Amino acid sequence: MNEVKESLRSIEQKYKLFQQQQFTFIAALERCRDNAHDKIRPISSIGQVQSYMEHNCYNSTDRRVLLMFLDICSELNKLCPHLEALHPGTPVTNNLLEKCKMLVSQSNDLSSLRAKYPHDVVNHLSCDEARNHYGGVVSLIPLVLDFMKEWIAHSEKLPRKALQHVSVPPAGQEVTGKATSLAQTGGTQPWLRKHMCRQSPRDSLKPRGKDKGGCQPPWRPPGGRL
């Protein structure tokens, strides 16, 4: 859990730097749309931003800020399997994780996303037209970060054993292991070895057909004492 929280904090720090360059990001997208002659449709997916950067971006500054956005999205996408591996999940955490997976998918339609208070990324867009075209793409990262932080908050309330993967040995394996260890250490318990040492070799050679399981009395000479 600590590693996941540290990874999320690192992504948040990168996002804060990216957020300071939102105007540069929007300007880069605007120029790419001009170069692609694609001024009608809004930015609707991460894949569309990827395509703009690869085919319609001719400015190093624009390429840098687009790549920053794509890198953050990629890191969020890679973090999802780590969250999933921490525990089996509850209905609440599973729902949050599914939202994160869907949002960071390359082909997911994000044009209708709008990050609301306390986020102000949409309010920083200049006009209604800009909000319609770029409101979704600027809302994506803050929404995913919120869902992941909510996932962590719910997961930390679960019992500790729910966050641990314990491998239970198959039936019989534990017993077999104990038997093996006994064989390696002499094969018998100490008290049993002591009892066996007390038994005389002569007694061990006597046939046990008439032995009822009781101890034989010591031999006495006729009319004599021990």
Side-chain angles (χ1 to χ4, degrees), residues 29-46:
L29 289 175
E30 190 72 20
R31 279 188 286 271
C32 288
R33 292 174 71 224
D34 282 337
N35 295 334
H37 306 289
D38 189 14
K39 296 284 288 183
I40 298 176
R41 61 176 181 153
I43 307 296
S44 59
S45 68
I46 298 173

Side-chain angles (χ1 to χ4, degrees), residues 4 78-87 97 100 148 151-152:
V4 168
K78 291 176 182 177
L79 192 57
C80 288
H82 293 285
L83 298 179
E84 195 168 21
L86 279 178
H87 63 82
L97 189 56
C100 292
M148 287 191 171
W151 186 95
I152 289 175

Side-chain angles (χ1 to χ4, degrees), residues 177-188:
K178 288 182 178 179
T180 305
S181 64
L182 283 174
Q184 293 173 349
T185 57
T188 54

Side-chain angles (χ1 to χ4, degrees), residues 77-150:
N77 189 25
K78 291 176 182 177
L79 192 57
C80 288
H82 293 285
L83 298 179
E84 195 168 21
L86 279 178
H87 63 82
T90 65
V92 174
T93 58
N94 288 340
N95 182 47
L96 290 168
L97 189 56
E98 286 304 315
K99 287 180 180 179
C100 292
K101 289 179 181 179
M102 179 187 67
L103 289 174
V104 295
S105 170
Q106 283 275 324
S107 58
N108 180 62
D109 185 356
L110 49 83
S111 58
S112 61
L113 295 179
R114 293 296 181 270
K116 299 179 181 180
Y117 182 84
H119 304 294
D120 55 2
V121 289
V122 176
N123 293 334
H124 286 173
L125 297 175
S126 58
C127 61
D128 289 340
E129 183 181 3
R131 293 177 185 180
N132 291 334
H133 284 95
Y134 307 114
V137 72
V138 299
S139 298
L140 172 64
I141 296 175
L143 288 177
V144 176
L145 288 173
D146 283 351
F147 288 141
M148 287 191 171
K149 285 188 283 188
E150 191 176 351

